[in-house]
Each structure stands twice: as C-alpha cells, then as structure tokens.
Amino acid sequence: MVRYDPTVPAVRLSPTSYVVLGMIALRGPSTPYDLKRAVGHSVGYFWNFPHAQLYSEPDRLTVAGLLALSVEDTGRRRKTYSITGAGREALRSWLASPTDEHFQMRDIAELKLFFNEVGDPANVPNLAAEQIKQHEQRIAVYEGMVERFGDDPASRPRMITLELGLEMEHAALRFWTALAEGDLDRLRRARKA
C-alpha cells in the first residue's frame, strides 16, 4: 500500500504530475485506467507522453501527499486516487504561475523534412501527401468535438484549448499543402499581408 510519508522531501513535479493532478481535480476520484482513458480523449491530443506514466505517477504523488489512495478490499483490489488539499494547492499554484517556456513542436514529419537532403528528395511529395491526410483527419476529429461539446457550458474552458489545436492543425495543413503544390511563396505572402 502506498502511503503519504511526511519524511519524504518535496518532490519535483513534472508536466505529467500536473496532468494527473488536473485530471483528478476535474474528474474526481480516478483509477490509473480512468486517467488513461480521460487523457486519451482530451489533453492526449495535444500533450503526447507515455501513458505508462499514468500508472506510476499517482503512487509518487501519493507518497508526496498530493493524492490520497484507496484500494478495494476485494476483487481486483483496484487503486483509486483522490486529490488532497495539498495537491489542489500545488495545481492552483502551477496554473497561476507564468509559463516562460517556448512552444515545442515535436513533429516527426518536420524532422524528416529537415534531414531530407541526406535521403531522397523524391520522398517529399509522399511525406507531404501523408501529412495532408493526417491533418485533415485530425481537423475532422476536432470539429466533431466542437459540434458535440461546443454548447456545453461545463466544457467551455477546455474548448479554448481545442480552438488552439484547430488553429495549429489548419496552419500545418496550409504548410504541407503549399509544399505539396510547390508554392511555399504563397505562405510567405500570406504572412506579410
């Protein structure tokens, strides 16, 4: 059984820590499987990380006193985590602090494009075509989410993140389409307009 240990020094909280704390604060008591599903249907679209961390991070946060743990007495002995007052305060403090880190784009296609001159330049049209398809599919998913949840007052705060995601997907689609059409100058002109 994982228990809070007051002798454990303060832990360093990572973005994954805040994802766990935030999800439990939004959803209420959750199992690691609940967290995995909730992340997969929400921030997982924008913040990619190994979901195995959603199984280990809650125990670490419990030892630090930021989550409380209850375990079923019978059956699968499922672990359910709840946010503590200290966990809620850590989350609120993090949310209130400015973010001075620059936006990170970890896009494999962009990496392949960068190193393409080492490979075969004939691969660029195939890479662009695949990226166009992927961005169109993601835009369709996001727009479906807007249709389903856009008028729900409880979802409005999270819909702002979805709007940012849509803008990023449309920007990426514009880029890959211009690249596929051999017209990157069109993007440059549009930025100057």
Side-chain angles (χ1 to χ4, degrees), residues 18-165:
Y18 292 113
V19 167
V20 169
L21 290 172
M23 275 298 158
I24 293 174
L26 282 174
R27 297 184 79 256
S30 303
T31 67
Y33 179 74
D34 295 335
L35 292 172
K36 179 180 170 236
R37 286 182 45 97
V39 165
H41 296 305
S42 60
V43 297
Y45 287 109
F46 308 106
W47 187 263
N48 192 4
F49 61 95
H51 286 143
Q53 292 176 354
L54 296 173
Y55 288 87
S56 59
E57 188 65 11
D59 284 340
R60 193 174 83 84
L61 296 174
T62 298
V63 171
L66 303 176
L67 293 178
L69 170 67
S70 65
V71 180
E72 290 177 341
D73 292 332
T74 60
R76 297 174 57 195
R77 301 189 48 80
R78 192 177 337 216
K79 293 180 175 182
T80 302
Y81 298 87
S82 302
I83 195 163
T84 64
R88 194 171 296 281
E89 184 54 38
L91 180 61
R92 284 184 179 139
S93 176
W94 177 71
L95 290 170
S97 67
T99 300
D100 59 357
E101 293 182 25
H102 182 72
F103 165 77
Q104 295 181 24
M105 182 166 39
R106 297 176 52 123
D107 181 8
I108 302 246
E110 186 179 357
L111 200 55
K112 286 183 175 188
L113 189 59
F114 181 83
F115 289 113
N116 189 60
E117 70 183 57
V118 177
D120 182 357
N123 290 334
V124 171
N126 293 335
L127 179 63
E130 182 59 32
Q131 291 306 302
I132 290 167
K133 185 171 89 178
Q134 287 185 27
H135 290 290
E136 287 173 340
Q137 288 172 348
R138 184 57 62 98
I139 287 168
V141 168
Y142 289 173
E143 287 176 346
M145 293 167 82
V146 169
E147 286 177 24
R148 281 194 313 274
F149 305 112
D151 292 334
D152 177 11
S155 296
R156 264 194 207 113
R158 290 179 294 285
M159 296 305 287
I160 294 169
T161 306
L162 186 57
E163 291 297 331
L164 177 58

